[in-house]
Amino acid sequence: MSRLRTFLSSPAGLLGFGLLLVQLAAVAFAPVLAPYPPTEADPLSSLQPPSPEHWLGTDVSGMDILSRIVFATRINLLIGLTSVGAAFVAGVAIGVLVGFYRGFWAGLAMRALDFLQAFPVFVLGMALVAVMGQEIWNVAIVLAVLFIPMFARQVRGEVLSLRDRPFVRAARCSGAGDISIMFHHILPNAVTPVLVQVSISIGMAILLTAGLSFIGAGVRMPTPEWGLMVANGAQQMILGIWWISLFPGLAIMLSVLSFALLGDAARRVMAPSAGAMGR
């Protein structure tokens, strides 16, 4: 209850939670909230500015921007949540193993992670998407691969600081095996600081998804996706047709902001317990 009160007392946490609820509502009720089908082109309504008929205007194909933004929330959240979730599971498992077992194989695994992190994110993402294809699940897999080293390194650092603690030696003396020590004694203490990074990473995944789509390496038309919508309207910006890119860009900003605020609030909530564990 004290952690919940700490979270509720944070204006940033409440704002982030409110923005998240808006996104979840868009995901759950997209067919109800969207006034038009998101992929239905209407050449006669091309490039219409915001109006009572089309609240956020239409794009060059005549598709309603509001409808596409609402449905794009599903795509961007789906990619963000699945990629970070998969990266978290794989990264935590790798981090625990290489942190607990120090030796040649652990060092080799860390060098492989260094190899992944040595590439610029967009270059590696473009290469993987080009090989695997521009599909939603392929983009999620690519982002998961990019996030695994971050989670693995964080967990490894925590495990290295915990593996020689007295409670670990006590568990070993009581007859506990390596698997039990790693996943029943060390992991619950090591994973708490990493959970804070999950929220921030989801925002980063949404931003990377939009970035990959913007440069043509993400999902393809006519799939509604925020970065793809910004890219489609970028060429019209110099002609004064601002609404095609502006509103999807604001959607990206608010979505990433919501997860950043939630991550900051979670860090404040977790800080007391982390300090208590250290004592």
Side-chain angles (χ1 to χ4, degrees):
M1 291 299 294
S2 62
R3 291 185 177 183
L4 179 60
R5 285 194 297 269
T6 303
F7 181 84
L8 294 177
S9 65
S10 169
L14 289 177
L15 177 58
F17 186 67
L19 291 173
L20 177 61
L21 288 180
V22 172
Q23 295 176 77
L24 294 178
V27 171
F29 304 108
V32 178
L33 297 174
Y36 298 93
T39 58
E40 183 178 278
D42 183 7
L44 298 179
S45 301
S46 176
L47 300 178
Q48 289 191 5
S51 65
E53 185 178 0
H54 298 280
W55 288 3
L56 302 185
T58 62
D59 62 11
V60 68
S61 299
M63 292 184 285
D64 183 70
I65 294 175
L66 174 59
S67 301
R68 288 180 61 78
I69 288 177
V70 171
F71 274 91
T73 308
R74 287 182 168 183
I75 302 297
N76 287 79
L77 278 188
L78 174 66
I79 294 176
L81 292 173
T82 54
S83 61
V84 173
F88 177 79
V89 173
V92 166
I94 294 172
V96 170
L97 290 173
V98 299
F100 190 82
Y101 294 113
R102 292 178 292 186
F104 173 77
W105 293 110
L108 184 62
M110 293 307 300
R111 300 295 76 76
L113 296 179
D114 291 338
F115 179 78
L116 281 177
Q117 288 188 309
F119 285 93
V121 173
F122 277 106
V123 174
L124 181 59
M126 290 174 59
L128 293 176
V129 170
V131 172
M132 301 174 63
Q134 292 178 262
E135 302 295 337
I136 294 174
W137 291 113
N138 289 342
V139 175
I141 292 172
V142 168
L143 293 180
V145 171
L146 295 176
F147 279 108
I148 285 175
M150 178 182 63
F151 288 117
R153 284 189 171 279
Q154 286 184 311
V155 174
R156 176 179 177 269
E158 295 293 328
V159 172
L160 289 175
S161 68
L162 293 170
R163 68 188 303 276
D164 295 323
R165 294 284 183 92
F167 73 90
V168 175
R169 292 196 294 267
R172 192 178 297 279
C173 291
S174 66
D178 288 350
I179 299 298
S180 177
I181 291 174
M182 283 189 292
F183 293 99
H184 291 92
H185 297 279
I186 294 180
L187 181 58
N189 293 308
V191 79
T192 300
V194 184
L195 288 173
V196 176
Q197 186 64 33
V198 170
S199 177
I200 300 174
S201 298
I202 294 174
M204 292 172 58
I206 291 173
L207 194 59
L208 287 172
T209 300
L212 288 173
S213 297
F214 182 84
I215 62 178
V219 298
R220 294 175 293 185
M221 285 291 288
T223 304
E225 196 279 325
W226 292 331
L228 188 60
M229 295 174 67
V230 173
N232 288 337
Q235 295 180 349
Q236 282 77 31
M237 288 283 288
I238 60 174
L239 301 177
I241 305 174
W242 48 268
W243 56 89
I244 301 178
S245 292
L246 175 63
F247 294 118
L250 290 176
I252 296 171
M253 182 195 72
L254 292 175
S255 180
V256 175
L257 177 64
S258 68
F259 289 104
L261 293 175
L262 288 173
D264 183 68
R267 183 180 292 108
R268 295 173 183 271
V269 171
M270 296 294 185
S273 62
M277 185 188 68
R279 290 191 298 268

